[in-house]
Amino acid sequence: AGLRLGGRRGRTCRGRLGGELVLKLLECCLLLLQGTFPLAEEVLQLPDVFLLRLHLRGQACQALVGFVERLLRALISGGAALPRETALFFNGVGLPIMEGYGLSETSPVIALNTARDYRVGTVGKIIPGVEAKIATDGEILTRGPHVMKGYWNQPEATASAIRDGWLYTGDLGTLDADGFLTITGRKKELLVLSNGKKVVPTQIEGL
């Protein structure tokens, strides 16, 4: 495979692409988003390296993204919230990141964005075979064959987490009219103001 970077003086880089280099190329894209492009010597030291400079701009960046896109079927994010700016950047260059949501207690997926149903800022729609709803206090509840039987030798913790067949995730969220789930915070992090109103700290921190 080949990739040409820069203008008339750009280089054509050839070689075998390994998974480690794919991750480094994606890291380069994140550097573009941040506006910083130091020359990363570690990239040049990879065994299957392309002669790649990280101060990419304009068409060079598009060439890089197009090259990576042809090698990837999907980008999936989970385990922590995906920054909206990161999602918008990759979506804008044609590499949408499919953000999902789940817990170890749910085997582990509850919701996931897909190529057909995709919305930035959400963790997608509830996957088939899984039920989910939002409690009156905003907590996400789920039930189905994906939910654990219980915590090993911890009957009290199990009884607290699973009630009437529903797993209380401890996460706060919303479900919109189209079925997309958005995570808004953690229930244990809620702040109760003097007027009784409940505030999610992460929403304030993001302002």
Side-chain angles (χ1 to χ4, degrees):
L3 169 64
R4 186 168 184 81
L5 302 178
R8 288 177 294 180
R9 296 184 179 180
R11 294 182 176 182
T12 298
C13 308
R14 297 185 180 276
R16 181 178 58 83
L17 187 71
E20 186 178 1
L21 184 55
V22 169
L23 294 177
K24 184 57 65 177
L25 294 177
L26 294 177
E27 183 179 335
C28 297
C29 294
L30 286 175
L31 289 175
L32 173 68
L33 178 64
Q34 298 167 1
T36 57
F37 275 89
L39 181 60
E41 295 298 333
E42 63 271 19
V43 177
L44 302 179
Q45 296 171 5
L46 292 176
D48 51 3
V49 70
F50 290 86
L51 299 178
L52 176 64
R53 292 181 180 276
L54 304 188
H55 56 282
L56 304 175
R57 292 292 189 274
Q59 294 182 354
C61 179
Q62 291 298 325
L64 170 62
V65 172
F67 183 70
V68 175
E69 185 178 18
R70 291 194 296 272
L71 299 166
L72 298 177
R73 296 184 60 184
L75 296 174
I76 298 177
S77 173
L82 178 67
R84 181 176 179 83
E85 295 78 9
T86 302
L88 289 174
F89 169 75
F90 279 99
N91 189 50
V93 297
L95 291 171
I97 300 177
M98 309 302 175
E99 187 175 9
Y101 165 72
L103 309 169
S104 298
E105 293 88 339
T106 59
S107 310
V109 184
I110 295 175
L112 179 67
N113 276 289
T114 65
R116 177 176 296 181
D117 293 306
Y118 178 81
R119 185 166 297 174
V120 172
T122 77
V123 293
K125 293 185 175 182
I126 308 303
I127 65 174
V130 170
E131 291 183 70
K133 67 179 182 179
I134 307 299
T136 54
D137 62 357
E139 184 174 3
I140 301 170
L141 313 184
T142 185
R143 71 177 178 184
H146 63 303
V147 175
M148 66 172 184
K149 297 296 183 181
Y151 296 109
W152 179 254
N153 289 334
Q154 298 184 57
E156 293 183 359
T158 298
S160 176
I162 303 176
R163 288 169 260 167
D164 298 324
W166 290 93
L167 174 70
Y168 285 65
T169 66
D171 293 316
L172 301 173
T174 60
L175 273 170
D176 66 21
D178 296 321
F180 287 91
L181 177 65
T182 300
I183 309 301
T184 58
R186 289 284 296 168
K187 184 176 180 180
K188 65 180 181 180
E189 295 176 348
L190 276 177
L191 300 177
V192 181
L193 305 182
S194 59
N195 59 6
K197 185 176 181 179
K198 297 179 180 179
V199 178
V200 179
T202 53
Q203 294 179 346
I204 298 176
E205 293 168 356
L207 296 177

